[in-house]
Structures are given as C-alpha cells and as structure tokens.
C-alpha cells in the first residue's frame, strides 16, 4: 500500500490530461493513475478543476509595494513622476516598514498561488535600506515563496554618483541578478556604456541580467540593440532579460525586422508589463494614442521567450493590483490582441512555465521529482481561468497546503432558474 502526505485527485492539467498527483515531503512522487489503495494524510478532490504549476512574476518592485499615497499620489500618472515620487519616499522609509509591506504582499501572493517573484530593489541609496529589507524578507518567506532579487540602480548606473558602488555592494550582500535602466541615463551614449559595464559585471560573477530597457514612447530609444550585442559579447545568452521594451511599439517596422533576429540570437527574454505600461505610456499623445505594450506576438513568432510581468501593486506608479498574475495575462492578451484559443492558452503559459524559465527556477512543474508546488483553480482549463480569474481552491507550496478559497458560486432567487450559478464556460 502506497502512503503519501498529500494526494490531489482527478485534476485537469494545463495540457488537458486528467491525473492524480501524489506528494511526499516537498516533492511530487507520482502523476497519473496512482496505485490501488494509495492513501495520504490529506486528499484534495480536484475533479473537474484545473491544476496548474504555481504562478510566477518575473518583474516586480517589492520595496515600493503597498505604499500608494506615501508621501503623495502620482498626480500626472507618468513614469517620471513615479520615479520622482519614489525618490521622495525612499528618503523617509524604514527597513521595518518595507519588510512589513513586503510580508503583507506575500500573503496576497500566497493566496493567489503566486509562489515565485523576481523583484528589483533600488540601489541608489548609500544606506541600502531597501536591499537590507528585501534580503530580510527573502529569508522570512523562503519556506513558501521564492523571492529573487535584482540590484536595480533606479536613478541610473552612471547618472547617480553612488549607483555603481552601491550596486556592487548589493551584489556582494547576496542580491543575485544585475539590473539597469539605460534609457534613464543622461545620454544614449551613457546608456550604452552602462549596459557594457553591467553585462561585464554579470559575466565576471556568473549572474543573470534583467534590464529596464527602453521603457519610453521614444522610437529612437534602442538600448535593446546594445543589450543584445553585449549579451553575445560576454557569453550571457539565455541569462538576460529585457523588461518593458515599450519603445518598440513606436519603432520603424524595417528596423524592427532587423532587431528581432538579433534579440533571438542573443537569447534575451522579454518581459512586458501590460497593466502598468498601458497606464503609464502614451501620456503625451493626443489621438491616436499609443498603448504601452511591446510587440509580443511578433517577438514570439521570432522565437523570443516572452513572459508577462506584474511590475507594481499600489505604489508610486500604479494605484491598483491584487497579486493576481491572471489579471496581468488577461490585460496582456487584450492589448496584444491574442484572441485565438492557442494564443490565450499561451498567455496562461506565459505566467507559469515561461516565467519560471526566465527566472531559471529549479524543480518547477507538475511531474515526478519536481517541487510539490501547485494551484487548484475553479476553472476547467487555462482559457477558462483567464476569462474568470477564478478562486484558488487550494494552493500547495513545497508540499504544504498554505491557502484555500471557496468557490465563487452565486445564489439565485429567480423562479424557474437554478438556485446557484457557476460561470464556467459551457463548452
């Protein structure tokens, strides 16, 4: 008789298979038909429900999250005012406050099945309070959320006089990814120089790179070209991500036709952040008004790995958000016009498997030998999950059930109609 700690029975996997999942300790030990008489300390009946690997966010700002309104609201709604506002806030913030806000957000994330997050942390502060706070937070949540940190010189690696030294200090303290923001340097030349140095640092230390790249409506902001060149020069293929890339929506089509193969050759991943950039970009336009999203479908067609990022929740740049990566994918598929069933299914994959690959997560997925982390959703398949953004009936992290939510059925009192309604797709 096989004994397990936890069994999830009858769930539908994202690829359409119906399978039982057996868990022992923090590992999945079997997926499929379990031995007759298999028992477990706990059984979750997922019959008819979608069972997915956990959601992954490849781009977030945990040091600023849940700070909306401190010390004031972003009145213009622009990226630049948000950066200025964050500059005011970080002068008065404390380590304790950032840790507490981070813990609260991680509670939200855990409840939504978001169990891996890459967060940029500002290094333009001689005190490095944000780095201290995020390292402490990473330790506090490591039992249930994998928090990956990026050393991010928010005010410019070369533009800010303390950024170079403090970014290196942050890496020495244990931050594991090299970040940058070349379009915020004083000149295009400085932006290119910053990328050359940041990629060299990453290569020497054997680290990954994640650059806020061309987050602007300026079609002449073309730092992604330099990032691709430096990636190849330093042998960083497969270890580099370009986040945002919004300038690409305004670039000349002929130039883009040359750019996409270069990005693919360099093995750079792209991380658009649809909720935030649809809000921030195009603020100087009248009509027609550009929307703030890079060329997602075109990049995927060129063989470039593209994942959706959350970026912000209730902070100087964005006044909404719930830690739900399905909200992110839902907005992304609309703005990118990814309406074919295969494209919508790909949007679900982007916030799970694709984002896990961008972060380089070990043991991710639903298969024997993988880490026992998964989400049971009140939906029949990935497209239904995107449409409904449904309840997470159970969230399992490293073998332990850490969150449960009830089904969101509505009760009706209409003569001749059913007493309850569940809004799943009828087909």
């Amino acid at each position: 008789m096989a004994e397990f700690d936890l069994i999830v029975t009858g769930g539908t996997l994202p690829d359409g298979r119906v399978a039982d999942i057996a868990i022992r300790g923090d590992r999945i030990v079997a997926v499929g038909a379990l031995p007759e008489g298999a028992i477990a300390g706990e059984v979750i009946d997922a019959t008819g429900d979608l069972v997915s690997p956990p959601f992954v966010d490849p781009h977030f700002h945990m040091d600023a999250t849940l700070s909306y309104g401190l010390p004031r609201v972003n009145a213009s709604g622009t990226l630049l005012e948000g950066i200025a506002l964050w500059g005011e806030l970080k002068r008065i913030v404390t380590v304790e406050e950032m840790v507490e806000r981070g813990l609260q957000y991680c509670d939200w994330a855990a409840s939504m099945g978001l169990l891996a997050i890459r967060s940029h942390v500002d290094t333009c502060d001689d005190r490095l309070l944000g780095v201290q706070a995020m390292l402490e937070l990473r330790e506090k949540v490591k039992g249930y959320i994998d928090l990956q940190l990026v050393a991010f010189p928010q005010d410019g690696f070369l533009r800010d006089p303390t950024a170079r030294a403090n970014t290196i200090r942050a890496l020495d303290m244990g931050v594991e990814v090299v970040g940058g923001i070349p379009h915020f340097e004083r000149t295009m030349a400085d932006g290119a120089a910053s990328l050359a140095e940041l990629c060299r640092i990453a290569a020497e230390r054997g680290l990954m790179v994640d650059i806020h790249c061309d987050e602007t409506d300026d079609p002449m902001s073309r730092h992604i070209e330099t990032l691709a060149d430096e990636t190849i020069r330093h042998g960083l293929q497969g270890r580099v991500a370009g986040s945002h890339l919004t300038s690409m929506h305004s670039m000349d089509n002929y130039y883009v036709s040359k750019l996409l193969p270069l990005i693919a050759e360099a093995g750079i991943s792209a991380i658009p952040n649809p909720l935030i950039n649809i809000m921030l970009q195009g603020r100087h336009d009248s009509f027609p008004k550009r929307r703030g999203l890079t060329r997602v479908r075109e990049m995927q067609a060129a063989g470039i790995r593209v994942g959706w990022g959350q970026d912000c929740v209730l902070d100087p740049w964005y006044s909404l958000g719930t830690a739900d990566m399905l909200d992110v994918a839902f907005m992304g598929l609309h703005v990118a016009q990814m309406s074919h069933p295969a494209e919508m299914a790909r949007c679900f994959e982007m916030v799970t498997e694709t984002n896990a690959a961008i972060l380089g997560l070990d043991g991710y997925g639903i298969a024997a030998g993988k880490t026992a982390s998964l989400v049971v959703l009140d939906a029949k398949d990935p497209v239904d999950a995107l449409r409904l953004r449904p309840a997470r009936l159970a969230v399992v992290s490293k073998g332990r059930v850490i969150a449960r939510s009830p089904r969101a059925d509505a009760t009706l009192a209409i003569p001749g109609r059913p007493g309850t309604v569940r809004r799943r797709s009828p087909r």
Side-chain angles (χ1 to χ4, degrees), residues 60-98:
F60 195 63
H61 291 267
M62 190 75 76
D63 50 359
T65 196
L66 307 190
S67 66
Y68 180 70
L70 298 175
R72 57 185 176 81
V73 169
N74 184 339
S76 69
T78 61
L79 172 66
L80 293 181
E81 184 176 352
I83 293 174
L85 179 53
W86 169 243
E88 297 173 23
L89 176 59
K90 70 183 179 183
R91 288 196 291 269
I92 60 175
V93 77
T94 66
V95 170
E96 293 74 20
E97 178 192 342
M98 283 187 280

Side-chain angles (χ1 to χ4, degrees), residues 272 274-275 293 296-297 300 308 325-348 350-351 382-389:
L275 287 170
L293 195 68
V296 175
R297 297 168 71 191
Q300 291 176 334
W308 298 122
M325 291 305 294
L326 289 178
D327 280 346
V328 177
F330 184 75
M331 175 63 81
L333 76 85
H334 279 82
V335 182
Q337 297 180 316
M338 297 174 70
S339 57
H340 188 277
E343 292 176 324
M344 291 190 285
R346 192 187 312 144
C347 284
F348 186 92
M350 288 166 70
V351 294
V383 174
D384 213 29
L386 285 165
R387 183 178 64 86
L388 295 170
R389 279 92 71 217

Side-chain angles (χ1 to χ4, degrees), residues 131 135 138 149 169-177:
V131 174
L135 290 172
R138 186 177 69 184
L149 300 177
R169 282 175 58 205
L171 297 173
D172 290 342
M173 291 167 67
V175 175
E176 62 261 60
V177 183

